[in-house]
């Protein structure tokens, strides 16, 4: 352990250890020349959107990669959720975890559907089937579970529960590209699964999303919906919106798909280093991944608790002073955010609230060097051992 006199912290007035901000996620980009070649061909064709050849190729490649019949590419993950929800005919109440990015809940509320927040398993951070069961009412039409941190939700239990009560089941798989459940790649579970290809995901298309499914009718409906309901020129046969993915996004997606294995391997190496360095720090517990399942290792998640000499919020302040922009995903939980807390002030979710109070997400990704991780862990180790009471 570095001594106090040799380890001044920026929060105490020392220069920050990083001159530039170190973000939790920086965009992964594959071979630039391959990307620019695709962009050049796109410009030569003058076909920039409206289901161009790059989008069609991208959909085929994603469907093949995940072992599903259909990939419907969408402009972003939130619109993909909205289109899937509407295409499935969900109404009334839909049960979701509060411990998720706010888009999961908004995609329901935006369409006049009430998100009913259920609790999580405190170990997996995924939706608790027992909490779901307790939340079912006569108005419930569906369940949206999230594969948090790329660790699969309890798919079997949720499927049984949905079947028992005649509910539709879909998954928000925004974290879970190239992750598996019982050896099978996430993408083909439930009625459909929704992907996010946002710039900070392990696999990005600049901005984008998709719905993947084995349901032929649902896929056909969503393809109509993402393009205003058009079935050919001047022939609108369904209500719709503008949810199309543009060709430039598909170009980045195809390029990054070619490099994805290298991104995942870089993430795995960084996860293993964090695991080694954080193992003996008092009060810091790393979320770990099942080595028997594939994961993209994109999220470095820990909890901060006793006997650490600093709490989670103090540690984030310490790291931010060093220009390490650690985050407290998904604090304070959707049910505690104003837009839902005002409507549902009595909702209390024990495990969600505890995880939200102690959770910290640390920087990772191929752009972060191993030396950077050592510096970050030095700061965490010193802070958790000594606190802020030293001179």
């Amino acid at each position: 352990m570095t001594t106090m006199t040799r380890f001044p912290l920026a929060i105490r007035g020392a220069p920050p250890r990083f001159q530039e901000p170190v973000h939790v996620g920086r965009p992964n980009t594959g071979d630039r020349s391959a990307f620019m070649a695709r962009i050049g061909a796109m410009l030569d064709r003058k076909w920039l959107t409206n289901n161009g050849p790059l989008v069609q190729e991208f959909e085929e490649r994603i469907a093949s990669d995940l072992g599903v019949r259909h990939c419907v590419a969408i402009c972003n993950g939130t619109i993909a959720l909205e289109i899937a929800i509407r295409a499935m005919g969900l109404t009334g109440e839909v049960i979701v975890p509060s411990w998720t990015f706010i888009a999961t809940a908004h995609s329901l509320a935006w369409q006049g559907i009430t998100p009913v927040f259920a609790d999580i398993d405190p170990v997996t951070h995924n939706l608790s089937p027992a909490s779901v069961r307790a939340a079912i009412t006569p108005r419930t039409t569906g369940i949206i579970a999230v594969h948090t941190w790329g660790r699969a939700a309890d798919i079997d239990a949720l499927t049984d529960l949905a079947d028992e009560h005649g509910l539709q089941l879909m998954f928000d798989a925004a974290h879970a590209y190239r992750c598996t459940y019982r050896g099978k790649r996430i993408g083909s579970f439930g009625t459909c699964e929704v992907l996010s290809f946002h710039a900070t995901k392990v696999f990005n298309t600049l901005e984008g999303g998709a719905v993947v499914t084995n349901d032929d009718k649902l896929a056909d409906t969503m393809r109509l919906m993402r393009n205003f309901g058009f079935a050919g020129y001047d022939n609108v046969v369904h209500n719709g919106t503008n949810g199309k993915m543009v060709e430039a996004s598909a170009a980045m997606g195809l390029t990054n798909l070619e490099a994805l294995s290298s991104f995942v391997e870089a993430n795995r190496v960084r996860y293993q280093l964090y695991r080694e360095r954080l193992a003996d720090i008092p009060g810091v517990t790393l979320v770990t991944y099942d080595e028997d399942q594939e994961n993209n290792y994109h999220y470095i998640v820990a909890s901060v608790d006793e006997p650490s000499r600093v709490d989670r919020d103090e540690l984030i302040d310490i790291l931010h002073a060093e220009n390490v922009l650690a985050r407290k995903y998904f604090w304070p939980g959707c049910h505690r955010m104003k837009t839902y807390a005002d409507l549902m002030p009595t909702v209390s979710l024990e495990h969600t609230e505890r995880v939200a109070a102690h959770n910290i997400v640390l920087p990772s990704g191929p752009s972060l060097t191993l030396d950077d991780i050592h510096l970050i862990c030095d700061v965490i180790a010193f802070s958790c051992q000594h606190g802020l009471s030293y001179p």
Side-chain angles (χ1 to χ4, degrees):
M1 173 64 64
T2 307
T3 65
M4 285 187 288
T5 57
R6 294 177 57 196
F7 205 93
L9 294 174
I11 201 168
R12 290 294 197 183
R17 278 171 172 71
F18 294 89
Q19 295 304 305
E20 299 294 330
V22 181
H23 295 272
V24 164
R26 301 289 288 179
N28 294 329
T29 54
D31 184 87
R32 183 173 296 193
S33 62
F35 173 65
M36 295 308 296
R38 288 183 169 108
I39 293 295
M42 175 197 77
L43 294 174
D44 289 342
R45 284 190 297 269
K46 301 188 185 303
W47 192 348
L48 309 184
T49 186
N50 286 343
N51 200 35
L54 291 175
V55 166
Q56 294 177 46
E57 180 185 356
F58 178 75
E59 290 181 331
E60 291 170 2
R61 293 280 301 278
I62 296 299
S64 175
D65 194 46
L66 300 183
V68 295
R69 288 207 296 271
H70 303 283
C71 169
V72 182
I74 307 290
C75 58
N76 61 60
T78 302
I79 300 300
L81 280 167
E82 292 178 5
I83 287 174
I85 288 164
R86 188 174 290 266
M88 290 169 64
L90 297 180
T91 59
E93 297 176 351
V94 172
I95 299 169
V96 296
S98 175
W99 184 246
T100 182
F101 185 57
I102 196 67
T104 314
H106 279 353
S107 62
L108 292 163
W110 194 253
Q111 302 185 79
I113 301 169
T114 301
V116 174
F117 297 113
D119 212 348
I120 57 172
D121 180 290
V123 175
T124 68
H125 297 182
N126 279 321
L127 189 61
S128 161
S131 186
V132 171
R133 179 181 291 278
I136 295 171
T137 75
R139 297 188 70 239
T140 306
T141 61
I143 303 166
I144 302 178
V146 180
H147 304 302
T148 311
W149 317 132
R151 300 192 298 182
D154 192 343
I155 292 171
D156 289 346
L158 291 169
T159 300
D160 290 345
L161 193 55
D163 290 345
E164 177 186 345
H165 291 271
L167 304 176
Q168 297 207 66
L169 174 65
M170 62 181 285
F171 293 94
D172 179 336
H175 286 186
Y177 200 89
R178 282 280 177 91
C179 301
T180 62
Y181 178 72
R182 302 189 187 281
K184 184 178 180 181
R185 281 191 176 165
I186 287 170
S188 61
F189 298 104
T191 300
C192 65
E193 303 206 51
V194 176
L195 307 172
S196 172
F197 305 130
H198 182 262
T200 58
K201 295 292 188 290
V202 64
F203 170 49
N204 79 82
T205 63
L206 302 174
E207 179 70 275
V211 187
V212 287
T213 183
N214 287 316
D215 187 317
D216 299 340
K217 183 178 179 181
L218 182 68
D220 289 344
T221 300
M222 292 188 295
R223 290 191 175 101
L224 289 171
M225 291 174 65
R226 73 176 174 184
N227 188 30
F228 305 101
F230 277 102
Y233 293 117
D234 306 319
N235 184 27
V236 175
V237 299
H238 200 286
N239 288 335
T241 187
N242 186 359
K244 301 185 297 296
M245 177 180 281
V246 298
E247 286 287 271
S249 288
M252 178 56 79
L254 289 166
T255 302
N256 282 341
L257 193 60
E258 293 165 352
L260 182 55
S261 294
S262 67
F263 299 156
V264 171
E265 176 58 19
N267 283 348
R268 188 193 64 80
V269 169
R270 283 150 182 78
Y271 158 76
Q272 291 291 358
L273 179 56
Y274 269 117
R275 188 171 182 176
E276 293 167 10
R277 286 299 317 272
L278 298 178
D280 298 322
I281 298 176
V284 177
T285 305
L286 185 71
V287 167
T288 57
Y289 297 106
D290 183 351
E291 296 301 323
D292 291 332
Q293 301 296 327
E294 288 184 50
N295 198 281
N296 55 45
Y297 301 100
H298 191 57
Y299 296 95
I300 305 297
V301 186
S303 64
V304 182
D305 207 338
E306 295 179 350
S308 170
R309 296 287 299 278
V310 294
D311 63 27
R312 188 278 308 277
D313 289 354
E314 290 170 330
L315 182 58
I316 284 180
D317 289 343
I318 291 166
L319 289 169
H320 281 203
E322 304 289 350
N323 261 334
V324 178
L325 303 186
R327 300 280 303 280
K328 43 185 179 181
Y329 290 19
F330 302 100
W331 185 87
C334 294
H335 73 295
R336 293 296 190 198
M337 293 184 179
K338 178 175 173 55
T339 185
Y340 297 110
D342 286 351
L343 295 173
M344 314 169 191
T346 63
V347 173
S348 178
L349 302 172
E350 176 187 359
H351 298 310
T352 296
E353 289 163 17
R354 174 164 178 77
V355 170
H358 295 272
N359 178 74
I360 184 171
V361 182
L362 298 168
S364 190
S367 64
L368 190 73
T369 70
L370 301 186
D371 286 342
D372 291 340
I373 293 173
H374 280 296
L375 281 175
I376 292 168
C377 291
D378 286 345
V379 171
I380 295 171
F382 183 84
S383 301
C384 291
Q385 181 172 354
H386 295 287
L388 289 171
S389 60
Y390 65 93

